[in-house]
Amino acid sequence: MCGRYAVRRDPAALAEEFAAADRTEGATGADFNITPTKTVPIVVQRGEERSVRPVRWGLVPTWAKEADGGPPMINARAETITAKPAYAESARRRRCLMPATGWYEWKPGDKRRQPYLCRRRDGASMAMAAVFSAWWDPRTAGEPLVTCAVVTTDAVGELADVHHRMPLVLPEERWADWLDPTRSEIDELLRPDPGALGELALHTVSTEVNSMRNNHPDLLEPADPVPEPAEQAALFES
């Protein structure tokens, strides 16, 4: 977790929802099956302006020798984010929010590959805590590659029945503190908020989600779960 999520609102709608300016210039849009390395919207605060900006999902540390030297670093554990070299600088100075309609999850070892979607009960976008980084290619003098990673924490309740990790979802009253680049002490903000967790709901969705080629609004809709192997066998015996 988190390896796949969805954003159904366009940047203009996200900007309104997060009281921000839209600075994406058409680089992102609604996406119902977001995979690592895609360009995604984040919310950042710099000076007096809060804005929605496009970045690549999969953090590249500032000191990396190359941008694609290994698997994309899409998640950062809340328990170690302030200590791990890959994330520590970003945790201190470059925090952001990743708006999401919901994230998809699968049970480890489930041969059916049954996807679940976790979303807010009221349909509003959730704010996943995240960090970002700007990487300059030492071989060129071009623009930096800006990338991000979701902050994850231990899953709770019914979410833990699917996977042991989940994104750190921040309630609105924590947004300003998390986005504040002058605040370096964030231990308190890294603790999950019980109120925010209570707003989340989980349901099964279509196995179409399993293929990154599928990308349409119906992926968000509840769907009957794939039968267990014993149930599938019974269908052929009857």
Side-chain angles (χ1 to χ4, degrees), residues 129-197:
V131 293
F132 69 97
S133 180
W135 179 81
W136 277 264
D137 189 334
R139 300 163 296 183
T140 69
E143 293 293 317
L145 172 66
V146 183
T147 57
C148 66
V150 179
V151 180
T152 68
T153 188
D154 285 334
V156 297
E158 66 174 344
L159 305 178
D161 294 335
V162 177
H163 199 278
H164 67 286
R165 302 293 291 179
M166 62 176 285
L168 176 62
V169 179
L170 297 178
E172 187 171 355
E173 56 268 24
R174 288 192 187 182
W175 294 357
D177 286 336
W178 181 260
L179 294 174
D180 183 358
T182 68
R183 176 170 179 162
S184 59
E185 174 52 56
I186 61 170
D187 287 350
E188 180 182 352
L189 301 175
L190 290 169
R191 301 189 187 101
D193 180 88
L197 297 176

Short mmCIF file of all heavy atoms in Angstrom, two decimals, residues 129-197:
data_model
loop_
_atom_site.label_atom_id
_atom_site.label_comp_id
_atom_site.label_asym_id
_atom_site.label_seq_id
_atom_site.Cartn_x
_atom_site.Cartn_y
_atom_site.Cartn_z
N ALA A 129 -1.59 12.35 3.15
CA ALA A 129 -0.33 13.02 3.47
C ALA A 129 0.75 12.51 2.52
O ALA A 129 0.82 11.32 2.21
CB ALA A 129 0.06 12.75 4.92
N ALA A 130 1.61 13.42 2.08
CA ALA A 130 2.65 13.04 1.12
C ALA A 130 3.84 13.99 1.26
O ALA A 130 3.75 15.03 1.92
CB ALA A 130 2.09 13.06 -0.30
N VAL A 131 4.93 13.61 0.63
CA VAL A 131 6.11 14.47 0.56
C VAL A 131 6.56 14.54 -0.90
O VAL A 131 6.22 13.66 -1.70
CB VAL A 131 7.26 13.93 1.44
CG1 VAL A 131 6.89 14.02 2.92
CG2 VAL A 131 7.62 12.50 1.08
N PHE A 132 7.31 15.59 -1.23
CA PHE A 132 7.78 15.72 -2.61
C PHE A 132 9.25 16.11 -2.63
O PHE A 132 9.83 16.50 -1.61
CB PHE A 132 6.92 16.72 -3.39
CG PHE A 132 7.06 18.16 -2.97
CD1 PHE A 132 7.91 19.01 -3.65
CD2 PHE A 132 6.32 18.67 -1.90
CE1 PHE A 132 8.03 20.35 -3.28
CE2 PHE A 132 6.43 20.00 -1.52
CZ PHE A 132 7.29 20.84 -2.21
N SER A 133 9.84 15.99 -3.79
CA SER A 133 11.25 16.29 -3.96
C SER A 133 11.49 16.80 -5.37
O SER A 133 10.77 16.43 -6.31
CB SER A 133 12.10 15.04 -3.70
OG SER A 133 13.48 15.31 -3.85
N ALA A 134 12.49 17.65 -5.53
CA ALA A 134 12.89 18.16 -6.85
C ALA A 134 14.28 17.63 -7.18
O ALA A 134 15.23 17.83 -6.41
CB ALA A 134 12.87 19.68 -6.86
N TRP A 135 14.40 16.95 -8.31
CA TRP A 135 15.67 16.34 -8.72
C TRP A 135 16.15 16.97 -10.01
O TRP A 135 15.40 17.07 -10.98
CB TRP A 135 15.47 14.83 -8.90
CG TRP A 135 16.71 14.10 -9.35
CD1 TRP A 135 17.74 13.68 -8.56
CD2 TRP A 135 17.02 13.70 -10.69
NE1 TRP A 135 18.69 13.03 -9.32
CE2 TRP A 135 18.28 13.04 -10.63
CE3 TRP A 135 16.39 13.85 -11.92
CZ2 TRP A 135 18.90 12.51 -11.77
CZ3 TRP A 135 17.00 13.33 -13.05
CH2 TRP A 135 18.24 12.66 -12.97
N TRP A 136 17.39 17.40 -10.01
CA TRP A 136 18.00 17.98 -11.21
C TRP A 136 18.93 16.96 -11.85
O TRP A 136 19.79 16.38 -11.17
CB TRP A 136 18.80 19.24 -10.87
CG TRP A 136 17.98 20.48 -10.78
CD1 TRP A 136 17.78 21.42 -11.74
CD2 TRP A 136 17.25 20.94 -9.63
NE1 TRP A 136 16.96 22.43 -11.28
CE2 TRP A 136 16.63 22.16 -9.98
CE3 TRP A 136 17.05 20.43 -8.34
CZ2 TRP A 136 15.83 22.87 -9.10
CZ3 TRP A 136 16.25 21.13 -7.46
CH2 TRP A 136 15.66 22.34 -7.84
N ASP A 137 18.77 16.76 -13.14
CA ASP A 137 19.65 15.86 -13.89
C ASP A 137 21.01 16.55 -14.03
O ASP A 137 21.11 17.61 -14.64
CB ASP A 137 19.05 15.57 -15.27
CG ASP A 137 19.79 14.47 -16.01
OD1 ASP A 137 21.01 14.28 -15.74
OD2 ASP A 137 19.19 13.82 -16.88
N PRO A 138 22.08 15.97 -13.48
CA PRO A 138 23.39 16.61 -13.54
C PRO A 138 23.94 16.74 -14.96
O PRO A 138 24.88 17.50 -15.20
CB PRO A 138 24.27 15.70 -12.68
CG PRO A 138 23.59 14.37 -12.72
CD PRO A 138 22.13 14.67 -12.78
N ARG A 139 23.33 16.02 -15.90
CA ARG A 139 23.83 16.05 -17.28
C ARG A 139 23.20 17.15 -18.12
O ARG A 139 23.63 17.40 -19.25
CB ARG A 139 23.59 14.69 -17.96
CG ARG A 139 24.29 13.52 -17.27
CD ARG A 139 23.71 12.20 -17.71
NE ARG A 139 22.30 12.09 -17.29
CZ ARG A 139 21.56 11.01 -17.49
NH1 ARG A 139 22.09 9.95 -18.08
NH2 ARG A 139 20.30 10.98 -17.08
N THR A 140 22.16 17.79 -17.60
CA THR A 140 21.47 18.82 -18.36
C THR A 140 21.23 20.04 -17.48
O THR A 140 21.42 20.00 -16.28
CB THR A 140 20.11 18.31 -18.88
OG1 THR A 140 19.22 18.13 -17.78
CG2 THR A 140 20.26 16.99 -19.64
N ALA A 141 20.79 21.10 -18.11
CA ALA A 141 20.46 22.33 -17.37
C ALA A 141 18.96 22.61 -17.45
O ALA A 141 18.52 23.76 -17.39
CB ALA A 141 21.25 23.50 -17.93
N GLY A 142 18.17 21.55 -17.59
CA GLY A 142 16.74 21.70 -17.76
C GLY A 142 16.01 21.89 -16.45
O GLY A 142 16.60 22.08 -15.38
N GLU A 143 14.68 21.81 -16.52
CA GLU A 143 13.84 21.94 -15.34
C GLU A 143 13.97 20.71 -14.45
O GLU A 143 14.26 19.61 -14.95
CB GLU A 143 12.37 22.12 -15.76
CG GLU A 143 12.08 23.42 -16.48
CD GLU A 143 12.26 24.62 -15.55
OE1 GLU A 143 11.80 24.54 -14.39
OE2 GLU A 143 12.86 25.61 -16.00
N PRO A 144 13.78 20.86 -13.15
CA PRO A 144 13.88 19.69 -12.27
C PRO A 144 12.70 18.74 -12.46
O PRO A 144 11.62 19.15 -12.89
CB PRO A 144 13.86 20.31 -10.88
CG PRO A 144 13.07 21.58 -11.04
CD PRO A 144 13.45 22.09 -12.41
N LEU A 145 12.92 17.49 -12.12
CA LEU A 145 11.85 16.50 -12.07
C LEU A 145 11.29 16.52 -10.65
O LEU A 145 12.02 16.23 -9.70
CB LEU A 145 12.40 15.11 -12.40
CG LEU A 145 11.43 13.94 -12.22
CD1 LEU A 145 10.27 14.03 -13.20
CD2 LEU A 145 12.18 12.61 -12.36
N VAL A 146 10.02 16.87 -10.52
CA VAL A 146 9.39 16.93 -9.20
C VAL A 146 8.57 15.66 -9.01
O VAL A 146 7.75 15.29 -9.87
CB VAL A 146 8.50 18.18 -9.05
CG1 VAL A 146 7.92 18.26 -7.63
CG2 VAL A 146 9.31 19.44 -9.36
N THR A 147 8.80 14.99 -7.89
CA THR A 147 8.18 13.69 -7.64
C THR A 147 7.62 13.65 -6.22
O THR A 147 7.94 14.50 -5.38
CB THR A 147 9.23 12.56 -7.80
OG1 THR A 147 10.32 12.81 -6.91
CG2 THR A 147 9.74 12.49 -9.23
N CYS A 148 6.79 12.65 -5.94
CA CYS A 148 6.14 12.59 -4.63
C CYS A 148 5.99 11.15 -4.16
O CYS A 148 6.11 10.20 -4.95
CB CYS A 148 4.77 13.27 -4.67
SG CYS A 148 3.55 12.42 -5.71
N ALA A 149 5.70 11.01 -2.86
CA ALA A 149 5.43 9.70 -2.26
C ALA A 149 4.35 9.86 -1.21
O ALA A 149 4.31 10.86 -0.49
CB ALA A 149 6.69 9.12 -1.62
N VAL A 150 3.47 8.87 -1.11
CA VAL A 150 2.41 8.85 -0.11
C VAL A 150 2.98 8.41 1.24
O VAL A 150 3.80 7.49 1.30
CB VAL A 150 1.29 7.87 -0.52
CG1 VAL A 150 0.19 7.84 0.54
CG2 VAL A 150 0.71 8.25 -1.86
N VAL A 151 2.54 9.04 2.31
CA VAL A 151 2.91 8.61 3.66
C VAL A 151 1.92 7.54 4.10
O VAL A 151 0.70 7.73 4.00
CB VAL A 151 2.89 9.79 4.64
CG1 VAL A 151 3.27 9.32 6.05
CG2 VAL A 151 3.84 10.90 4.18
N THR A 152 2.43 6.41 4.58
CA THR A 152 1.57 5.31 5.01
C THR A 152 1.73 5.02 6.49
O THR A 152 2.75 5.35 7.10
CB THR A 152 1.86 4.02 4.21
OG1 THR A 152 3.16 3.53 4.56
CG2 THR A 152 1.78 4.27 2.72
N THR A 153 0.71 4.39 7.04
CA THR A 153 0.71 4.04 8.46
C THR A 153 0.01 2.70 8.64
O THR A 153 -0.46 2.10 7.67
CB THR A 153 -0.02 5.15 9.26
OG1 THR A 153 0.13 4.91 10.66
CG2 THR A 153 -1.50 5.20 8.91
N ASP A 154 -0.07 2.21 9.88
CA ASP A 154 -0.76 0.94 10.13
C ASP A 154 -2.24 1.07 9.81
O ASP A 154 -2.89 2.06 10.18
CB ASP A 154 -0.60 0.53 11.60
CG ASP A 154 0.78 -0.01 11.91
OD1 ASP A 154 1.44 -0.52 10.99
OD2 ASP A 154 1.20 0.08 13.07
N ALA A 155 -2.79 0.08 9.14
CA ALA A 155 -4.22 0.05 8.88
C ALA A 155 -4.99 -0.30 10.15
O ALA A 155 -4.45 -0.98 11.04
CB ALA A 155 -4.54 -0.95 7.77
N VAL A 156 -6.23 0.13 10.21
CA VAL A 156 -7.07 -0.15 11.37
C VAL A 156 -8.45 -0.64 10.92
O VAL A 156 -8.85 -0.44 9.77
CB VAL A 156 -7.24 1.11 12.26
CG1 VAL A 156 -5.90 1.56 12.82
CG2 VAL A 156 -7.88 2.25 11.47
N GLY A 157 -9.18 -1.25 11.86
CA GLY A 157 -10.56 -1.66 11.58
C GLY A 157 -10.68 -2.60 10.40
O GLY A 157 -9.83 -3.46 10.18
N GLU A 158 -11.73 -2.40 9.62
CA GLU A 158 -11.97 -3.27 8.48
C GLU A 158 -10.90 -3.12 7.42
O GLU A 158 -10.67 -4.02 6.61
CB GLU A 158 -13.35 -3.01 7.88
CG GLU A 158 -13.53 -1.64 7.25
CD GLU A 158 -14.87 -1.49 6.54
OE1 GLU A 158 -15.51 -2.51 6.27
OE2 GLU A 158 -15.25 -0.34 6.25
N LEU A 159 -10.20 -1.98 7.40
CA LEU A 159 -9.13 -1.78 6.43
C LEU A 159 -8.00 -2.76 6.67
O LEU A 159 -7.36 -3.25 5.74
CB LEU A 159 -8.60 -0.35 6.51
CG LEU A 159 -9.63 0.76 6.35
CD1 LEU A 159 -8.98 2.13 6.50
CD2 LEU A 159 -10.32 0.66 5.00
N ALA A 160 -7.73 -3.08 7.95
CA ALA A 160 -6.67 -4.01 8.29
C ALA A 160 -7.01 -5.44 7.86
O ALA A 160 -6.12 -6.28 7.75
CB ALA A 160 -6.40 -3.97 9.79
N ASP A 161 -8.30 -5.72 7.62
CA ASP A 161 -8.69 -7.05 7.15
C ASP A 161 -8.25 -7.28 5.70
O ASP A 161 -8.19 -8.42 5.24
CB ASP A 161 -10.21 -7.23 7.25
CG ASP A 161 -10.70 -7.24 8.70
OD1 ASP A 161 -9.89 -7.59 9.59
OD2 ASP A 161 -11.87 -6.90 8.93
N VAL A 162 -7.99 -6.19 4.99
CA VAL A 162 -7.56 -6.29 3.59
C VAL A 162 -6.04 -6.18 3.49
O VAL A 162 -5.38 -6.97 2.83
CB VAL A 162 -8.23 -5.22 2.73
CG1 VAL A 162 -7.73 -5.27 1.29
CG2 VAL A 162 -9.75 -5.40 2.77
N HIS A 163 -5.46 -5.16 4.13
CA HIS A 163 -4.01 -4.95 4.07
C HIS A 163 -3.56 -4.30 5.37
O HIS A 163 -4.31 -3.55 5.99
CB HIS A 163 -3.65 -4.07 2.88
CG HIS A 163 -2.21 -4.14 2.47
ND1 HIS A 163 -1.22 -3.43 3.09
CD2 HIS A 163 -1.60 -4.87 1.50
CE1 HIS A 163 -0.05 -3.70 2.53
NE2 HIS A 163 -0.26 -4.58 1.56
N HIS A 164 -2.31 -4.56 5.76
CA HIS A 164 -1.83 -4.08 7.06
C HIS A 164 -1.37 -2.62 7.01
O HIS A 164 -1.08 -2.04 8.05
CB HIS A 164 -0.70 -4.96 7.57
CG HIS A 164 0.56 -4.89 6.75
ND1 HIS A 164 0.68 -5.49 5.51
CD2 HIS A 164 1.74 -4.29 6.98
CE1 HIS A 164 1.87 -5.26 5.02
NE2 HIS A 164 2.55 -4.53 5.89
N ARG A 165 -1.29 -2.01 5.82
CA ARG A 165 -0.89 -0.62 5.69
C ARG A 165 -1.95 0.17 4.96
O ARG A 165 -2.75 -0.38 4.19
CB ARG A 165 0.43 -0.48 4.92
CG ARG A 165 1.61 -1.22 5.52
CD ARG A 165 2.05 -0.64 6.83
NE ARG A 165 2.66 0.69 6.70
CZ ARG A 165 3.11 1.40 7.72
NH1 ARG A 165 3.01 0.91 8.95
NH2 ARG A 165 3.64 2.59 7.53
N MET A 166 -1.96 1.50 5.19
CA MET A 166 -2.91 2.39 4.53
C MET A 166 -2.29 3.78 4.46
O MET A 166 -1.33 4.09 5.19
CB MET A 166 -4.23 2.45 5.30
CG MET A 166 -4.10 3.00 6.71
SD MET A 166 -5.68 3.18 7.57
CE MET A 166 -6.31 4.65 6.73
N PRO A 167 -2.79 4.65 3.58
CA PRO A 167 -2.29 6.02 3.56
C PRO A 167 -2.63 6.74 4.86
O PRO A 167 -3.63 6.44 5.52
CB PRO A 167 -3.03 6.65 2.38
CG PRO A 167 -3.54 5.53 1.57
CD PRO A 167 -3.79 4.41 2.53
N LEU A 168 -1.80 7.71 5.22
CA LEU A 168 -2.11 8.60 6.33
C LEU A 168 -3.07 9.66 5.80
O LEU A 168 -2.68 10.53 5.02
CB LEU A 168 -0.83 9.25 6.86
CG LEU A 168 -1.02 10.29 7.96
CD1 LEU A 168 -1.64 9.68 9.21
CD2 LEU A 168 0.32 10.96 8.29
N VAL A 169 -4.34 9.55 6.18
CA VAL A 169 -5.38 10.48 5.71
C VAL A 169 -5.50 11.62 6.72
O VAL A 169 -5.73 11.38 7.91
CB VAL A 169 -6.72 9.75 5.53
CG1 VAL A 169 -7.79 10.73 5.06
CG2 VAL A 169 -6.58 8.60 4.54
N LEU A 170 -5.36 12.86 6.24
CA LEU A 170 -5.38 14.02 7.12
C LEU A 170 -6.73 14.73 7.08
O LEU A 170 -7.24 15.02 5.99
CB LEU A 170 -4.28 15.01 6.71
CG LEU A 170 -2.84 14.52 6.82
CD1 LEU A 170 -1.90 15.61 6.33
CD2 LEU A 170 -2.51 14.10 8.24
N PRO A 171 -7.30 15.05 8.24
CA PRO A 171 -8.52 15.85 8.27
C PRO A 171 -8.19 17.30 7.90
O PRO A 171 -7.03 17.73 7.99
CB PRO A 171 -8.98 15.74 9.73
CG PRO A 171 -7.71 15.54 10.48
CD PRO A 171 -6.82 14.71 9.60
N GLU A 172 -9.19 18.05 7.51
CA GLU A 172 -8.96 19.41 7.02
C GLU A 172 -8.25 20.29 8.05
O GLU A 172 -7.44 21.14 7.67
CB GLU A 172 -10.29 20.05 6.61
CG GLU A 172 -10.14 21.40 5.94
CD GLU A 172 -11.43 21.91 5.35
OE1 GLU A 172 -12.43 21.18 5.39
OE2 GLU A 172 -11.43 23.06 4.85
N GLU A 173 -8.53 20.08 9.34
CA GLU A 173 -7.90 20.93 10.35
C GLU A 173 -6.40 20.70 10.47
O GLU A 173 -5.69 21.49 11.10
CB GLU A 173 -8.57 20.72 11.72
CG GLU A 173 -8.59 19.31 12.23
CD GLU A 173 -9.86 18.55 11.85
OE1 GLU A 173 -10.50 18.93 10.84
OE2 GLU A 173 -10.19 17.59 12.56
N ARG A 174 -5.88 19.64 9.84
CA ARG A 174 -4.44 19.40 9.86
C ARG A 174 -3.74 19.84 8.57
O ARG A 174 -2.51 19.81 8.50
CB ARG A 174 -4.14 17.91 10.09
CG ARG A 174 -4.41 17.41 11.49
CD ARG A 174 -3.80 16.02 11.67
NE ARG A 174 -4.16 15.43 12.95
CZ ARG A 174 -3.72 14.24 13.36
NH1 ARG A 174 -2.88 13.54 12.61
NH2 ARG A 174 -4.09 13.75 14.53
N TRP A 175 -4.50 20.22 7.56
CA TRP A 175 -3.89 20.54 6.27
C TRP A 175 -2.86 21.65 6.38
O TRP A 175 -1.74 21.53 5.87
CB TRP A 175 -4.96 20.93 5.25
CG TRP A 175 -5.89 19.83 4.87
CD1 TRP A 175 -5.85 18.52 5.28
CD2 TRP A 175 -7.02 19.94 4.01
NE1 TRP A 175 -6.90 17.82 4.73
CE2 TRP A 175 -7.63 18.65 3.95
CE3 TRP A 175 -7.59 20.99 3.29
CZ2 TRP A 175 -8.77 18.41 3.18
CZ3 TRP A 175 -8.72 20.75 2.53
CH2 TRP A 175 -9.30 19.47 2.47
N ALA A 176 -3.24 22.76 7.01
CA ALA A 176 -2.35 23.93 7.06
C ALA A 176 -1.05 23.60 7.77
O ALA A 176 0.03 24.00 7.31
CB ALA A 176 -3.06 25.10 7.75
N ASP A 177 -1.12 22.86 8.87
CA ASP A 177 0.10 22.50 9.60
C ASP A 177 0.98 21.59 8.77
O ASP A 177 2.21 21.72 8.76
CB ASP A 177 -0.25 21.83 10.93
CG ASP A 177 -0.77 22.82 11.96
OD1 ASP A 177 -0.45 24.01 11.84
OD2 ASP A 177 -1.49 22.39 12.88
N TRP A 178 0.37 20.62 8.11
CA TRP A 178 1.16 19.69 7.29
C TRP A 178 1.83 20.42 6.12
O TRP A 178 2.98 20.11 5.77
CB TRP A 178 0.27 18.56 6.78
CG TRP A 178 1.02 17.56 5.94
CD1 TRP A 178 1.07 17.47 4.58
CD2 TRP A 178 1.86 16.49 6.44
NE1 TRP A 178 1.87 16.44 4.18
CE2 TRP A 178 2.36 15.82 5.30
CE3 TRP A 178 2.20 16.05 7.71
CZ2 TRP A 178 3.22 14.71 5.41
CZ3 TRP A 178 3.06 14.96 7.82
CH2 TRP A 178 3.55 14.31 6.69
N LEU A 179 1.13 21.35 5.52
CA LEU A 179 1.66 22.05 4.35
C LEU A 179 2.66 23.15 4.71
O LEU A 179 3.41 23.62 3.83
CB LEU A 179 0.51 22.66 3.54
CG LEU A 179 -0.45 21.68 2.87
CD1 LEU A 179 -1.62 22.44 2.25
CD2 LEU A 179 0.26 20.83 1.83
N ASP A 180 2.69 23.58 5.95
CA ASP A 180 3.53 24.69 6.39
C ASP A 180 5.02 24.35 6.22
O ASP A 180 5.55 23.53 6.97
CB ASP A 180 3.23 25.02 7.84
CG ASP A 180 4.01 26.22 8.36
OD1 ASP A 180 4.82 26.79 7.59
OD2 ASP A 180 3.80 26.60 9.53
N PRO A 181 5.74 24.96 5.27
CA PRO A 181 7.15 24.60 5.05
C PRO A 181 8.07 25.10 6.15
O PRO A 181 9.23 24.69 6.22
CB PRO A 181 7.47 25.28 3.71
CG PRO A 181 6.53 26.43 3.63
CD PRO A 181 5.27 25.98 4.32
N THR A 182 7.58 25.96 7.03
CA THR A 182 8.42 26.45 8.13
C THR A 182 8.34 25.54 9.35
O THR A 182 9.10 25.71 10.30
CB THR A 182 7.99 27.88 8.55
OG1 THR A 182 6.69 27.84 9.15
CG2 THR A 182 7.97 28.81 7.35
N ARG A 183 7.44 24.58 9.33
CA ARG A 183 7.29 23.65 10.45
C ARG A 183 8.12 22.40 10.17
O ARG A 183 7.89 21.70 9.18
CB ARG A 183 5.83 23.28 10.67
CG ARG A 183 5.63 22.23 11.76
CD ARG A 183 4.18 22.07 12.12
NE ARG A 183 4.03 21.02 13.15
CZ ARG A 183 2.95 20.88 13.91
NH1 ARG A 183 1.92 21.71 13.76
NH2 ARG A 183 2.89 19.93 14.82
N SER A 184 9.08 22.10 11.03
CA SER A 184 9.93 20.93 10.85
C SER A 184 9.59 19.80 11.81
O SER A 184 9.94 18.64 11.55
CB SER A 184 11.41 21.31 11.01
OG SER A 184 11.64 21.86 12.29
N GLU A 185 8.91 20.09 12.92
CA GLU A 185 8.51 19.06 13.88
C GLU A 185 7.12 18.54 13.50
O GLU A 185 6.12 19.26 13.61
CB GLU A 185 8.49 19.65 15.29
CG GLU A 185 7.96 18.71 16.37
CD GLU A 185 8.65 17.36 16.35
OE1 GLU A 185 9.89 17.33 16.46
OE2 GLU A 185 7.93 16.34 16.21
N ILE A 186 7.07 17.29 13.05
CA ILE A 186 5.80 16.77 12.52
C ILE A 186 5.36 15.48 13.19
O ILE A 186 4.42 14.83 12.71
CB ILE A 186 5.88 16.56 10.99
CG1 ILE A 186 6.98 15.54 10.65
CG2 ILE A 186 6.10 17.89 10.28
CD1 ILE A 186 6.94 15.10 9.20
N ASP A 187 6.02 15.06 14.26
CA ASP A 187 5.67 13.78 14.89
C ASP A 187 4.18 13.70 15.23
O ASP A 187 3.54 12.66 15.02
CB ASP A 187 6.50 13.58 16.16
CG ASP A 187 7.95 13.24 15.86
OD1 ASP A 187 8.24 12.98 14.67
OD2 ASP A 187 8.77 13.25 16.78
N GLU A 188 3.62 14.80 15.75
CA GLU A 188 2.20 14.80 16.11
C GLU A 188 1.32 14.62 14.89
O GLU A 188 0.28 13.95 14.95
CB GLU A 188 1.86 16.11 16.81
CG GLU A 188 0.41 16.23 17.24
CD GLU A 188 0.08 17.57 17.88
OE1 GLU A 188 1.02 18.35 18.13
OE2 GLU A 188 -1.12 17.82 18.11
N LEU A 189 1.73 15.19 13.76
CA LEU A 189 0.92 15.12 12.54
C LEU A 189 0.98 13.74 11.90
O LEU A 189 0.13 13.41 11.06
CB LEU A 189 1.40 16.17 11.53
CG LEU A 189 1.35 17.62 11.99
CD1 LEU A 189 1.96 18.53 10.93
CD2 LEU A 189 -0.09 18.04 12.30
N LEU A 190 1.97 12.95 12.28
CA LEU A 190 2.12 11.62 11.69
C LEU A 190 1.25 10.57 12.37
O LEU A 190 1.22 9.42 11.94
CB LEU A 190 3.59 11.19 11.76
CG LEU A 190 4.54 11.96 10.83
CD1 LEU A 190 5.99 11.64 11.17
CD2 LEU A 190 4.24 11.65 9.37
N ARG A 191 0.53 10.97 13.41
CA ARG A 191 -0.37 10.04 14.08
C ARG A 191 -1.73 10.08 13.40
O ARG A 191 -2.31 11.15 13.21
CB ARG A 191 -0.51 10.40 15.56
CG ARG A 191 0.80 10.40 16.33
CD ARG A 191 0.57 10.55 17.82
NE ARG A 191 1.82 10.71 18.54
CZ ARG A 191 2.29 11.87 18.98
NH1 ARG A 191 1.60 12.99 18.76
NH2 ARG A 191 3.45 11.93 19.62
N PRO A 192 -2.29 8.91 13.04
CA PRO A 192 -3.61 8.89 12.39
C PRO A 192 -4.67 9.56 13.25
O PRO A 192 -4.65 9.47 14.48
CB PRO A 192 -3.89 7.40 12.21
CG PRO A 192 -2.55 6.76 12.21
CD PRO A 192 -1.71 7.57 13.17
N ASP A 193 -5.60 10.24 12.60
CA ASP A 193 -6.69 10.92 13.28
C ASP A 193 -7.92 10.00 13.31
O ASP A 193 -8.42 9.63 12.24
CB ASP A 193 -7.02 12.23 12.57
CG ASP A 193 -8.15 12.98 13.24
OD1 ASP A 193 -7.87 13.78 14.15
OD2 ASP A 193 -9.32 12.77 12.86
N PRO A 194 -8.41 9.62 14.48
CA PRO A 194 -9.57 8.71 14.54
C PRO A 194 -10.79 9.25 13.81
O PRO A 194 -11.55 8.48 13.21
CB PRO A 194 -9.83 8.58 16.05
CG PRO A 194 -8.52 8.91 16.70
CD PRO A 194 -7.90 9.96 15.82
N GLY A 195 -10.99 10.56 13.86
CA GLY A 195 -12.13 11.14 13.17
C GLY A 195 -12.06 10.96 11.67
O GLY A 195 -13.06 10.62 11.01
N ALA A 196 -10.87 11.16 11.10
CA ALA A 196 -10.69 10.99 9.66
C ALA A 196 -10.90 9.54 9.26
O ALA A 196 -11.50 9.24 8.21
CB ALA A 196 -9.30 11.46 9.24
N LEU A 197 -10.43 8.61 10.09
CA LEU A 197 -10.59 7.19 9.79
C LEU A 197 -12.06 6.78 9.82
O LEU A 197 -12.49 5.92 9.04
CB LEU A 197 -9.79 6.35 10.78
CG LEU A 197 -8.28 6.54 10.75
CD1 LEU A 197 -7.62 5.73 11.85
CD2 LEU A 197 -7.71 6.17 9.40
#
